[in-house]
Amino acid sequence: MDISLWVLQIILAIKFLSVSINHGLRQSRTEMQNAKMKLGKSAPVLLRLAALGSLIGVLGLVLPGLLRTWGFLLPLAAAWLAVMLAFALVLHVRSREKPMIIADIILMMMAVIVAYGRWVLWPLN
């Protein structure tokens, strides 16, 4: 079970690291330009907040396990990412981006499994 949770954590960490880079540093790409048009004037701020939140979530997924300390942060980080994905799901539904909706649902399920697994089933001490 521990290995399964680690695999899910690593997949989530890689995905959210790429989200953090794309939303924070690569806002000039065409996909991000479409998102900026749909979100309006607050888009750069919202995208940078999403990037920062994703980076915090990645650190919370990886560091407690590597350092073997502050194990309570890991399920909190997974829950945080699930909440962020819920907001992303709402935005992608409003934008009618079907591939992103499916990806959000899958990633949200993975984050909920990690949060529940680390909180209840296999907590890090």
Side-chain angles (χ1 to χ4, degrees):
M1 183 67 168
D2 188 39
I3 294 172
S4 304
L5 290 174
W6 269 109
V7 168
L8 289 177
Q9 285 171 228
I10 291 169
I11 291 169
L12 285 170
I14 291 170
K15 174 59 182 161
F16 277 98
L17 187 60
S18 71
V19 166
S20 181
I21 291 169
N22 287 334
H23 285 61
L25 301 176
R26 296 183 182 173
Q27 289 188 8
S28 60
R29 290 186 12 201
T30 57
E31 296 89 12
M32 290 291 118
Q33 292 300 323
N34 293 336
K36 282 182 169 182
M37 287 179 15
K38 291 176 184 175
L39 290 174
K41 293 181 181 180
S42 62
V45 174
L46 289 175
L47 291 172
R48 291 209 197 290
L49 286 175
L52 182 63
S54 297
L55 187 61
I56 290 170
V58 167
L59 292 175
L61 281 178
V62 176
L63 287 182
L66 291 177
L67 300 176
R68 292 286 183 202
T69 183
W70 299 328
F72 67 93
L73 288 178
L74 206 148
L76 290 175
W80 167 256
L81 291 176
V83 169
M84 283 186 57
L85 282 165
F87 285 113
L89 182 63
V90 170
L91 289 173
H92 291 143
V93 166
R94 289 173 130 187
S95 301
R96 293 182 177 88
E97 297 172 338
K98 190 173 183 176
M100 298 303 291
I101 294 169
I102 295 168
D104 287 343
I105 291 171
I106 292 170
L107 289 171
M108 189 184 320
M109 289 179 5
M110 290 171 60
V112 168
I113 290 169
V114 169
Y116 181 76
R118 288 297 180 197
W119 233 312
V120 177
L121 301 177
W122 202 278
L124 287 177
N125 294 329

